Amino acid sequence: DTGVSQDPRHKITKRGQNVTFRCDPISEHNRLYWYRQTLGQGPEFLTYFQNEAQLEKSRLLSDRFSAERPKGSFSTLEIQRTEQGDSAMYLCASSTPENSHQETQYFGPGTRLLVL
Amino acid sequence: RKEVEQDPGPFNVPEGATVAFNCTYSNSASQSFFWYRQDCRKEPKLLMSVYSSGNEDGRFTAQLNRASQYISLLIRDSKLSDSATYLCVVNTPYSSASKIIFGSGTRLSIRP
């Protein structure tokens, strides 16, 4: 399967614990995005990378959230001291735009987080 | 006002019917537009891009109205398998990056 993959697919944790999610983009894609999606809403942008550089972070990304893409390939999203409000689906997408306004994203299956 | 707005629905239509829904966007500098389909508890999947001249893919037709800043999706001869949430996506370029905003989605339910 050469699509975007995410691991784990599901995570249940207790409030206050740290969690880390991984995303492996489509191999030739240089852009990687993280989104959060809650029930009844569209995906909300969290952050994105172009190669290994983190170019933008949303206001939604509090200081408890950190993302890395150390070698410009896979990325990790860590949430420290989880709160119940962090419960959501975390989606990763990748793209390789020919130019900035012809960008098509391809999504991974998501990691569903439940904080008890 | 949200940057991208959609009627949340649900639209509940019989199999074989034609259904259409719109998505409005607020930024006139937006350049590219997409419709994604999302099944329950699954990831969004690209349905089609929306081109200025309008485009068709089988039973699906997408149109863009730049003057009124909306895009539309028309589904003809709807199938039970079309039941899903349809997400509108708007891409606004700035600098060397792009700003991609998703609508909240329109739920469609096709009944037998």
Side-chain angles (χ1 to χ4, degrees):
Chain A
D1 187 350
T2 57
V4 179
S5 62
Q6 291 186 246
D7 183 70
R9 296 289 305 277
H10 303 273
K11 179 71 177 178
I12 300 174
T13 191
K14 292 183 179 178
R15 190 177 53 185
Q17 297 295 304
N18 299 344
V19 294
T20 300
F21 310 143
R22 176 178 169 128
C23 171
D24 286 86
I26 294 171
S27 59
E28 63 269 25
H29 284 186
N30 56 9
R31 285 193 182 172
L32 185 150
Y33 294 77
W34 285 101
Y35 291 87
R36 180 172 68 187
Q37 187 175 26
T38 53
L39 195 63
Q41 299 298 315
E44 294 176 295
F45 170 79
L46 293 178
T47 189
Y48 96 97
F49 293 84
Q50 178 140 323
N51 301 311
E52 65 276 8
Q54 187 173 17
L55 295 186
E56 187 172 349
K57 293 193 289 187
S58 162
R59 293 190 305 273
L60 294 174
L61 212 67
S62 76
D63 56 6
R64 295 185 298 105
F65 288 69
S66 62
E68 294 183 342
R69 194 183 183 197
K71 297 180 181 178
S73 56
F74 74 91
S75 174
T76 57
L77 177 68
E78 181 181 17
I79 309 174
Q80 296 182 324
R81 304 182 302 282
T82 52
E83 301 172 356
Q84 289 183 322
D86 296 332
S87 297
M89 170 82 94
Y90 290 84
L91 291 160
C92 175
S94 70
S95 67
T96 184
E98 292 183 2
N99 54 61
S100 64
H101 58 272
Q102 294 294 329
E103 183 170 1
T104 301
Q105 296 181 321
Y106 296 89
F107 282 83
T111 294
R112 189 170 294 279
L113 173 66
L114 177 62
V115 181
L116 301 176
Chain B
R1 182 186 173 189
K2 288 184 178 179
E3 291 188 69
V4 178
E5 292 200 72
Q6 295 184 250
D7 182 340
F11 285 62
N12 190 327
V13 301
E15 197 175 4
T18 294
V19 60
F21 24 85
N22 291 342
C23 164
T24 59
Y25 61 95
S26 62
N27 192 333
S28 59
S30 298
Q31 294 268 1
S32 53
F33 310 87
F34 306 88
W35 285 103
Y36 278 73
R37 171 199 168 120
Q38 186 171 28
D39 293 296
C40 187
R41 303 180 76 82
K42 300 282 191 179
E43 74 273 23
K45 293 188 176 177
L46 179 66
L47 179 64
M48 58 198 304
S49 303
V50 186
Y51 302 123
S52 296
S53 55
N55 48 302
E56 189 173 308
D57 182 2
R59 298 180 295 108
F60 298 83
T61 300
Q63 291 195 312
L64 167 63
N65 185 317
R66 286 193 183 274
S68 300
Q69 294 184 198
Y70 73 86
I71 65 171
S72 63
L73 180 67
L74 178 81
I75 306 174
R76 288 181 300 278
D77 187 24
S78 52
K79 311 291 185 191
L80 295 176
S81 57
D82 294 334
S83 297
T85 296
Y86 290 83
L87 297 164
C88 164
V89 181
V90 175
N91 186 340
T92 307
Y94 67 98
S95 185
S96 61
S98 57
K99 185 176 180 182
I100 299 173
I101 305 291
F102 282 76
S104 297
T106 297
R107 278 179 47 209
L108 174 64
S109 178
I110 309 297
R111 63 179 187 270

